[in-house]
Amino acid sequence: MSQKVRVRFAPSPTGPLHIGGVRTALYNYLFAKKHGGEFILRIEDTDQKRYVDGAEDYIVNALNWCGIPFDEGPGKDGGHGPYRQSERKHLYKQYADKLISNGNAYYAFDTAENLDFHRKDHEARGKTFIYNWHNRLKLSNSLSLTKEEVQTKLDAGEDYVIRFKSPQDEKVILQDIIRGEIHIDSNVLDDKVLFKSDGMPTYHLANIVDDHLMKISHVIRGEEWLPSLALHHLLYDAFGWTAPQFAHLPLIMKPVGKGKLSKRDGEKLGFPVFPMSWQESKGYREEGYFSDAVVNFLALLGWNPGTEQELFSLSELVETFSLERVNKSGARFDPDKTKWYNQQYLQSRSNAELAESYAEILDEKLSSEQKSLDCARPGTLTKIVSLIKERAVFVSDFWQLSNYFFVAPSSYNEKASRKQWKEDSADIMSQLASVLEAIDDFSSENIETIVKAWITEKELSFGKVMPPLRLVVVGEMKGPHIFDILEMIGKEESIERIHKAHGILG
Ligand code: GLU
């Protein structure tokens, strides 16, 4: 690539970033890093009515949480700032004027009522009103009015907009890296508003001017912007600027049925659609997802590496990513797959790191007395994590999978008790308690050797000892190797649990 790669993610701060937006940012980031280029964040806040407090901070924090920070953007000037369009307000008018003077744009004075009248009138006749070549000469604008009339209106301070004069009878040929060549008949385009008399540009003008001034080489954005591509292409031509290359990403589709993924789908099916929590909506971060798992599944949502590989670190993604391998058709969102990813990432995390996160959960769950148990010490906690993590998707699952290490069962699974707690169980367990009492080296291996020897010596069957033992220690028939559990909870606690069960189970 001869031109320096500069891409931008250009969200409007109208709310939190949806995961679709995060994916757009991610693809921009991957493309930039792959080509040694720059990833820019531009805040498109020209529509002050839709501005939402806190949205910009949310966007920045979400990118940082995902580990895909921008190189240039608000607070990180790279010589092309400011990066908020509201701070660039003064720049746009001259460009609108330029288009007026070179005949590619015009003033329009039509009132809202008048336009509404035309819209309704067309509707009544089963037609759609489009402000363009076929009727612009019948409307109130600088193409239909005389120079003097226009000047009088401007001097009188009448409200106006500046519209793009879209060409008539032209075949517009567009190139998209993902979709290939697209042909558009210019006659279907409307004369979009570029500038309003309140001094603010519309999205289209500000977007093109900024992409040009910021030297953007590739525009990578969602498919919903594809209908604007023809206008953008014509705007570049009208300014005499070289257009960047475009790539429109496929939509992220609902898990079931038709249409694009929405916040409602998440609420209905119980999965997050935001990277981090926003008001009452939970985010991936708060639901316990690892950010690298989120990045990994988002990368594969619309892009395919051309191999069976599913797990990619960020640097592997940078290495492998290409826009050519982004799919044209929508990518179906699969909430189960997101969990699978998290599970994979959890398994590959070190036990010590997971234990650290688990300690934070335990801090809330355990009383100070329980916190002083051997099990709650960092080393032991790491071991516990190693025993149970296989079955976990999130660190928050650890508690469910290991609470019996810290808290003695207060009830026993009914079905298991019926099946495993026989008439002689209480007696056998008391005998076992004495055996345990006499063990000095209370390590899993040693307990196992001694208990097994005792079983053989007493001519007891394993079935009479092991299941009731698990029941009294764990409360149900789950968990890792029972002697590992005994070692971890310690001699005293093991014996206490046997006595406690005796009292409850009889
Ligand atoms: N501000 C637009 C948005 O909110 C940006 C579209 C583009 O990337 O051109 O998505």
Side-chain angles (χ1 to χ4, degrees), residues 245-258:
Q245 293 188 56
F246 289 92
H248 288 85
L249 308 175
L251 295 175
I252 299 181
M253 312 299 286
K254 293 178 186 304
V256 278
K258 284 199 202 123

Side-chain angles (χ1 to χ4, degrees), residues 8-14 24 28 42-45 50 85 203 207-208 211 219-222 224-225 228 232 246 248:
R8 86 307 192 266
F9 176 51
S12 299
T14 54
T24 302
N28 273 283
R42 184 173 71 228
I43 300 295
E44 301 211 324
D45 57 350
R50 296 183 59 220
Q85 288 185 329
Y203 153 73
N207 187 270
I208 266 52
D211 281 348
V219 169
I220 303 166
R221 61 185 174 189
E224 61 273 28
W225 298 102
S228 302
H232 294 181
F246 289 92
H248 288 85

Side-chain angles (χ1 to χ4, degrees), residues 414-470:
E414 219 177 288
K415 206 168 140 208
S417 311
R418 241 183 287 128
K419 196 158 164 228
Q420 312 295 357
W421 196 258
K422 309 269 166 54
E423 248 169 59
D424 52 359
S425 296
D427 181 39
I428 295 173
M429 287 300 108
S430 312
Q431 289 182 44
L432 178 62
S434 314
V435 173
L436 298 180
E437 183 71 69
I439 302 177
D440 284 331
D441 165 15
F442 211 71
S443 66
S444 171
E445 223 173 293
N446 196 42
I447 311 169
E448 181 166 359
T449 312
I450 293 178
V451 170
K452 283 185 174 166
W454 170 73
I455 292 174
T456 315
E457 187 206 312
K458 288 277 166 194
E459 293 181 356
L460 292 164
S461 71
F462 276 83
K464 278 201 174 291
V465 179
M466 308 312 282
L469 176 59
R470 183 173 293 276

Side-chain angles (χ1 to χ4, degrees), residues 3-218:
Q3 194 192 355
K4 171 102 179 138
V5 167
R6 287 176 57 82
V7 296
R8 86 307 192 266
F9 176 51
S12 299
T14 54
L17 205 52
H18 180 275
I19 49 162
V22 181
R23 188 199 56 175
T24 302
L26 173 63
Y27 284 14
N28 273 283
Y29 174 90
L30 296 177
F31 184 77
K33 298 301 141 190
K34 167 144 193 169
H35 297 286
E38 267 121 32
F39 171 50
I40 293 143
L41 175 68
R42 184 173 71 228
I43 300 295
E44 301 211 324
D45 57 350
T46 50
D47 191 348
Q48 292 294 325
K49 288 195 291 296
R50 296 183 59 220
Y51 183 85
V52 172
D53 255 353
E56 183 185 317
D57 282 346
Y58 180 96
I59 292 164
V60 172
N61 293 339
L63 297 182
N64 289 336
W65 179 66
C66 289
I68 53 170
F70 52 90
D71 303 306
E72 276 178 39
K76 273 194 204 173
D77 196 2
H80 297 83
Y83 297 90
R84 285 184 199 99
Q85 288 185 329
S86 57
E87 292 167 14
R88 304 170 63 81
K89 234 167 35 191
H90 57 284
L91 279 168
Y92 304 113
K93 178 70 169 46
Q94 56 186 302
Y95 291 99
D97 288 344
K98 187 169 172 191
L99 292 184
I100 292 193
S101 62
N102 71 15
N104 283 299
Y106 58 90
Y107 291 107
F109 301 96
D110 315 270
T111 60
E113 296 76 41
N114 197 20
L115 291 177
D116 206 40
F117 165 80
H118 285 297
R119 242 173 252 130
K120 291 206 173 114
D121 178 55
H122 275 66
E123 241 168 61
R125 289 184 284 123
K127 292 187 173 167
T128 312
F129 173 69
I130 307 178
Y131 200 128
N132 68 1
W133 60 275
H134 81 275
N135 58 16
R136 60 191 167 212
L137 289 180
K138 288 183 239 151
L139 293 152
S140 177
N141 53 52
S142 55
L143 302 176
S144 61
L145 303 168
T146 64
K147 246 194 173 139
E148 293 69 36
E149 283 170 324
V150 171
Q151 201 51 55
T152 313
K153 282 180 182 294
L154 291 177
D155 292 344
E158 261 186 45
D159 276 350
Y160 67 84
V161 295
I162 297 176
R163 286 183 182 270
F164 183 64
K165 187 179 168 201
S166 46
Q168 189 178 346
D169 297 333
E170 234 180 66
K171 284 265 161 292
V172 188
I173 299 175
L174 308 169
Q175 303 292 343
D176 183 278
I177 298 173
I178 297 164
R179 283 144 218 280
E181 199 167 279
I182 304 165
H183 292 228
I184 300 279
D185 174 1
S186 75
N187 287 354
V188 304
L189 302 174
D190 59 342
D191 289 357
K192 280 269 187 291
V193 174
L194 302 176
F195 199 85
K196 294 169 286 173
S197 51
D198 65 1
M200 286 302 257
T202 59
Y203 153 73
H204 300 291
L205 179 69
N207 187 270
I208 266 52
V209 167
D210 286 347
D211 281 348
H212 173 72
L213 295 179
M214 293 181 178
K215 299 197 165 48
I216 299 303
S217 63
H218 296 76

